[in-house]
Amino acid sequence: MKLAKIIERTLTAIPIMFGVAILVFLFMRLMPGDPIDLMIGKDGNISAAEQAALREEFNLDKPLPAQLGIFLADAARGDLGTSFTKHKPVTEVIAETLPATLELAIAAFFIALLIAIPIGIISAVKQNSFIDKFAMASSFLGISLPNFWLGIVLMILFAVKLHIFPVMGRIDNDIILNHVTGFYVLDSIITGNMAALGSSLKHLFLPALTLCAEMSAIVARVTRSSMLEVLRQDYILLARSKGLRELIVITKHAFRNALIPTITVIGIEVGALLGGNMIIETVFGWPGIGRLAVDAIFSRDFPLIQG
């Protein structure tokens, strides 16, 4: 039954993906700006014949329906075309930048859990105390503050003023790291490069902390609400009446049952981490999918944006 449901959802996603691809294709063609002009630059010394050859090479000389048909036919075969600006297959460009985005999302995920779960539990146990009110007020700010503003504030404080963390990039320029998986932290551990490990963790911390702010706030509030509901149950009163230590009552009996709604929210927020990193990567100069998409939009790199 579960397998049938998974297959059904997968098949349903295919037309949705093609629908999104068609919308992106059409929106990019409606935007002002000629990709050929951007490719050759303002001072580009290129003849009209060479411009026409470029348009023919990238199928930009064909009518819009014909361009769409070529794009969909190639995409169905797994061919996303060649990037106008990178001069490489789009799949190769995405594969090069995807590990950076995944590494940032994974780091933000674990930082969010390390912050949110303890805060949610403590707030529930200390309900209506100063700790509870301060934690919930902080979580409200975490939900409300724009990511780009928070990132700039953290950058000014910890990078510019205190010089604790670097401003942008994934690793110091003077450190050489042998790439194995594309995940700098993992590659540093695999190759035993401790200097690269320290540098990559420093570069990773601020963007991951900024990205996880909203998730940690939401998970903390949900954990608190779930814990409060569970702590009112009869089996918690029974566990306490048996003389069990409060720590065991909270961790073994209350928290385990409160995890059910929390895990559901965590699953939803994981998608938000992967989809909401465009602004964070741009602010921190993080070379991932989000920044790649922004650069592709400004350069009118149609195949790369569509991919």
Side-chain angles (χ1 to χ4, degrees):
M1 189 67 180
K2 290 182 179 180
L3 180 60
K5 196 69 176 177
I6 292 173
I7 294 174
E8 180 186 347
R9 290 293 181 88
T10 304
L11 293 176
T12 305
I14 294 175
I16 294 174
M17 290 173 61
F18 273 98
V20 172
I22 292 171
L23 286 176
V24 171
F25 177 91
L26 295 175
F27 278 130
M28 287 307 304
R29 265 59 180 187
L30 292 174
M31 289 178 62
D34 189 344
I36 300 299
D37 291 340
L38 293 171
M39 287 171 62
I40 62 178
K42 293 182 179 180
D43 301 324
N45 187 14
I46 184 171
S47 66
E50 290 172 323
Q51 289 188 37
L54 279 174
R55 293 184 186 280
E56 183 179 357
E57 179 183 352
F58 295 113
N59 298 316
L60 295 175
D61 60 328
K62 295 179 173 59
L64 197 61
Q67 293 183 41
L68 178 59
I70 293 171
F71 163 64
L72 293 177
D74 290 342
R77 297 195 303 268
D79 181 9
L80 299 178
T82 302
S83 169
F84 293 167
T85 56
K86 305 290 184 182
H87 306 291
K88 292 193 293 186
V90 170
T91 51
E92 183 179 332
V93 177
I94 292 175
E96 290 174 355
T97 54
L98 184 59
T101 294
L102 291 178
E103 185 174 51
L104 177 58
I106 292 170
F109 174 78
F110 283 110
I111 293 175
L113 294 187
L114 288 174
I115 295 172
I117 299 296
I119 287 178
I121 295 173
I122 294 171
S123 295
V125 174
K126 304 289 185 181
Q127 185 184 10
N128 296 326
S129 66
F130 172 77
I131 295 175
D132 179 30
K133 293 177 181 178
F134 179 78
M136 290 304 99
S138 300
S139 67
F140 179 76
L141 287 176
I143 297 173
S144 305
L145 294 178
N147 280 343
F148 71 90
W149 183 87
L150 179 61
I152 292 172
V153 170
L154 292 177
M155 190 184 298
I156 292 173
L157 178 61
F158 291 103
V160 178
K161 298 293 185 182
L162 300 178
H163 304 286
I164 298 175
F165 297 104
V167 175
M168 61 190 340
R170 296 183 69 188
I171 197 169
D172 291 338
N173 294 327
D174 58 344
I175 294 180
I176 298 175
L177 175 63
N178 295 323
H179 301 292
V180 180
T181 64
F183 296 86
Y184 281 17
V185 174
L186 183 59
D187 290 347
S188 301
I189 296 173
I190 293 174
T191 58
N193 192 336
M194 292 300 103
L197 178 61
S199 178
S200 58
L201 287 175
K202 282 185 176 181
H203 282 79
L204 183 61
F205 182 74
L206 284 185
L209 183 62
T210 306
L211 182 61
C212 81
E214 184 176 353
M215 176 181 174
S216 59
I218 294 173
V219 173
R221 296 178 77 90
V222 172
T223 302
R224 176 184 180 274
S225 300
S226 302
M227 284 291 295
L228 287 175
E229 185 177 346
V230 170
L231 288 172
R232 298 188 185 103
Q233 300 299 316
D234 292 337
Y235 61 84
I236 298 297
L237 181 61
L238 177 62
R240 284 170 172 164
S241 65
K242 288 181 178 180
L244 294 177
R245 287 188 301 167
E246 187 68 11
L247 181 62
I248 295 177
V249 173
I250 297 300
T251 56
K252 186 176 180 181
H253 296 279
F255 178 60
R256 288 174 63 181
N257 290 283
L259 267 179
I260 297 172
T262 303
I263 289 175
T264 303
V265 172
I266 289 173
I268 296 172
E269 290 300 314
V270 167
L273 288 180
L274 291 171
N277 55 14
M278 184 178 294
I279 295 175
I280 305 301
E281 290 185 359
T282 304
V283 169
F284 287 95
W286 190 263
I289 292 290
R291 186 183 176 192
L292 180 69
V294 172
D295 293 341
I297 290 171
F298 280 113
S299 61
R300 303 297 186 273
D301 193 338
F302 294 163
L304 189 53
I305 300 168
Q306 292 160 185

